[in-house]
């Protein structure tokens, strides 16, 4: 609390929990092993960082609509997926 969370901190935490490299998350690969952690990172950035979707998009090298899609996707998935909920809470 009171500390400003950066996109880099989120990327490092997500990379550690999902056991992928930060460079993979920021990269362009679309494999399931990379896409899910990337979406989780975008979702957490949106949730914790008080910044516009466009600014978050720039941080990830994506468009604002990609960030929005990731957020909606993760919000749908955490309703049913207990494992994903645990992974997200571990990152947080």
């Amino acid at each position: 609390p009171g500390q400003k969370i950066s996109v880099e901190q989120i990327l490092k935490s997500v990379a550690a929990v999902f056991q992928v490299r930060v460079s993979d998350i920021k990269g362009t690969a679309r494999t399931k092993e990379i896409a899910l952690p990337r979406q989780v990172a975008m979702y957490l950035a949106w949730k914790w960082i008080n910044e516009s979707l466009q600014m978050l998009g720039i941080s990830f090298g994506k468009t604002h609509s990609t960030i929005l899609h990731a957020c909606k996707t993760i919000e749908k998935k955490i309703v049913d997926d207990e494992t994903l909920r645990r992974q997200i809470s571990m990152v947080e």
Side-chain angles (χ1 to χ4, degrees):
Q3 251 190 333
K4 203 158 167 49
I5 299 170
S6 71
V7 171
E8 283 303 316
Q9 289 171 309
I10 290 173
L11 286 170
K12 285 177 187 164
S13 301
V14 169
V17 170
F18 286 90
Q19 296 176 334
V20 294
R21 295 195 314 264
V22 171
S23 59
D24 290 337
I25 295 175
K26 288 183 110 173
T28 56
R30 292 186 177 182
T31 60
K32 193 168 62 179
E33 294 78 25
I34 304 300
L36 181 66
R38 182 182 295 140
Q39 287 183 327
V40 168
M42 290 177 183
Y43 168 75
L44 290 172
W46 170 74
K47 186 175 166 186
W48 290 104
I49 300 173
N50 191 13
E51 200 59 79
S52 71
L53 289 174
Q54 273 142 337
M55 291 308 294
L56 291 175
I58 290 167
S59 302
F60 283 97
K62 308 283 183 222
T63 63
H64 73 281
S65 57
T66 305
I67 305 284
L68 189 60
H69 173 75
C71 295
K72 287 182 177 175
T73 302
I74 295 300
E75 282 178 336
K76 283 181 192 159
K77 283 184 179 177
I78 55 178
V79 172
D80 302 320
D81 192 338
E82 176 64 33
T83 309
L84 182 60
R85 272 200 305 270
R86 282 205 190 112
Q87 287 172 316
I88 289 174
S89 67
M90 281 166 59
V91 173
E92 291 176 326

